[in-house]
Amino acid sequence: MTMMFRAAFVLMAACGLLAAQTPAMAGTLQCAPYARQISGIQLFGRAADWWAQAEGRYDRGQEPRVGAVLAFAASGAMPAGHVAMVSQVVSPREVRLTHANWSYRGGIERDVRAIDVSAANDWSDVKVWYGPTGALGTRSNPARGFIYAQAPAAADRPVQIAAAAGTTALN
């Protein structure tokens, strides 16, 4: 009986320790790891740094494409920036985004509306659906543009020439 009591006590204590650690280990889902997971774009760190990190590794541009990541710049309202994957292109100035940690802390939102409100039609100023109001957000957000999931085309990469031992590359 004592051995059974000890086993039950150890089991309850272990479960209690696991339960106590779960919230701390789980943390809050952030936009960058979620965008990396769903887009396949392997960039790391703050969302505001993705645009610069993508240079030379991924094609970038101002045209929305399904699977691309829209990179928002850092601002007073978003000091770490934001990244969101384009799940649908509605028109050249409207897309649907799938992203995390926008309307709700740690929450995932799928296929939410985003529109380009920039004067130059270049996706440098964007309004995004905001869940608590059930409408586009009241403020616009500065953006850099789109990072495309495919690596740059082979013609854009440096060419490396291999030569067999004892020969030169010009032989």
Side-chain angles (χ1 to χ4, degrees), residues 104-152:
Y104 307 99
R105 186 170 185 228
I108 294 172
E109 294 176 292
R110 291 178 179 85
D111 303 321
V112 298
R113 185 175 186 220
I115 59 169
D116 172 21
V117 294
S118 66
N121 299 333
D122 63 359
W123 288 91
S124 60
D125 203 17
V126 181
K127 282 193 171 190
V128 180
W129 178 265
Y130 187 63
T133 62
L136 287 173
T138 56
R139 75 166 193 268
S140 62
N141 304 279
R144 302 280 186 220
F146 298 93
I147 302 169
Y148 305 113
Q150 299 81 15

Side-chain angles (χ1 to χ4, degrees), residues 11-113:
L11 181 61
M12 289 186 338
C15 288
L17 287 174
L18 288 174
Q21 289 179 351
T22 301
M25 290 171 20
T28 300
L29 180 62
Q30 297 294 318
C31 65
Y34 185 67
R36 184 173 42 254
Q37 178 185 354
I38 63 173
S39 72
I41 293 175
Q42 294 301 301
L43 298 174
F44 296 85
R46 290 176 351 126
D49 299 333
W50 276 37
W51 184 255
Q53 285 183 43
E55 186 173 8
R57 294 180 62 191
Y58 294 95
D59 285 334
R60 303 178 304 172
Q62 308 315 120
E63 175 192 342
R65 297 180 195 161
V66 171
V69 168
L70 178 57
F72 291 85
S75 67
M78 297 185 307
H82 186 70
V83 285
M85 189 191 75
V86 177
S87 51
Q88 180 186 2
V89 177
V90 177
S91 73
R93 296 200 72 183
E94 182 177 341
V95 297
R96 299 290 185 262
L97 298 176
T98 295
H99 58 165
N101 206 31
W102 184 266
S103 295
Y104 307 99
R105 186 170 185 228
I108 294 172
E109 294 176 292
R110 291 178 179 85
D111 303 321
V112 298
R113 185 175 186 220

